[in-house]
Each structure stands twice: as structure tokens, then as C-alpha cells.
Amino acid sequence: MGALRSEPIRLALISVPYGEGPQVMMPLGLMNIAGYVKSQLNERVEVQVFDFSDADPEDREQLLEIQKWNADAIGISVYTSHVKAAVDWARQLRSLLPNAKIFAGGPHVSLNLQKFIDKWGGVFDFSVTGEGEVPVLAAVEAMIR
């Protein structure tokens, strides 16, 4: 059995552009996940929520913030209205941070996981359904070991 990872895991949780008019909505689900994971893992994790919900879906400059932050794991919240943006951004992030684990969650994924996996499963390392706090914590804990 190997040693535990010495430096903290960097978990980025991303709210991608909604792409349907001006909408500013706090990413409450991502904020809850961030708080829960941080409360359970303390100094073993750094969590940052990147809220790009009101950005232009075609503007990829925001992704450079995540690259600069050097995330180890990237969770993308997927709503039906912005599946295309979520998938496009995941692909771009894969090229910017090839060693990061990229996962999807949110209402669209939870509504029909199998259809989502059939169509977009190759873009993401894994998907989370339902409330994300416990499965995201488990994924981060697995990365620590």
C-alpha cells in the first residue's frame, strides 16, 4: 500500500455559461459540495468554485484560470440548457490539464445517467448523480490514497 499524497488535492467545481440570456445565479449546489468536502478533508484538499454562469460560452479565457490554478480534479455542473457548453469546456480542460480527473454532475446527468454516458461518457472520467457531496468526497479521498 502506497503512502498518502502529501500535498492537498485541488478540486475545481465549475458552473459553465448557461448560454441563454443574462442569468446570474449562485451555484448553490457546487458551493454545498465545496463546503462539505472541505469540512471532511480539511488541509488535505483545496476547493475552489469557478462561477462562469454569466460568461459567453464561446469565450474560453476563463479556462486559463483553472489551468493556472492547476486543478487535480474538475467537476462540471450540467444543466440541460447548457450541455454543449459543458462538454466543450470539458474537452478544452482535458487539453489544458491532461492529468486532471474531469467529472460531470448536476440535474441533466441525474435525469438520465445512461443516455448521458452513452453520448458523452468518453469526455468525462466519471459522472455523479443525485446529491453530489458524498460521491465527490469519495472520489477526492480515492485520489488522496
Side-chain angles (χ1 to χ4, degrees), residues 16-25 52-57 81-82:
V16 299
Y18 292 135
E20 55 179 34
Q23 293 186 27
V24 178
M25 184 173 14
F52 302 127
S53 58
D54 62 344
D56 179 345
S81 63
H82 65 268

Side-chain angles (χ1 to χ4, degrees), residues 2-23:
L4 291 178
R5 180 181 163 123
S6 60
E7 68 275 358
I9 293 289
R10 300 189 109 194
L11 171 62
L13 299 172
I14 303 172
S15 178
V16 299
Y18 292 135
E20 55 179 34
Q23 293 186 27

Side-chain angles (χ1 to χ4, degrees), residues 10-104:
R10 300 189 109 194
L11 171 62
L13 299 172
I14 303 172
S15 178
V16 299
Y18 292 135
E20 55 179 34
Q23 293 186 27
V24 178
M25 184 173 14
M26 295 291 291
L28 297 178
L30 296 179
M31 294 166 71
N32 285 337
I33 293 168
Y36 180 74
V37 170
K38 184 66 180 164
S39 75
Q40 299 301 306
L41 297 177
N42 300 309
E43 70 281 347
R44 294 185 297 164
V45 68
E46 293 177 26
V47 185
Q48 186 165 335
V49 175
F50 291 86
D51 182 9
F52 302 127
S53 58
D54 62 344
D56 179 345
E58 301 303 317
D59 181 5
R60 304 299 200 282
E61 284 296 310
Q62 291 89 351
L63 299 178
L64 299 178
E65 288 180 46
I66 300 162
Q67 180 185 32
K68 182 185 266 187
W69 195 64
N70 198 25
D72 298 301
I74 302 167
I76 300 176
S77 181
V78 183
Y79 285 77
T80 301
S81 63
H82 65 268
V83 173
K84 181 183 179 333
V87 169
D88 289 348
W89 280 39
R91 286 182 173 137
Q92 185 74 24
L93 284 164
R94 174 84 59 213
S95 68
L96 293 172
L97 294 161
N99 295 322
K101 297 293 182 194
I102 301 176
F103 62 96

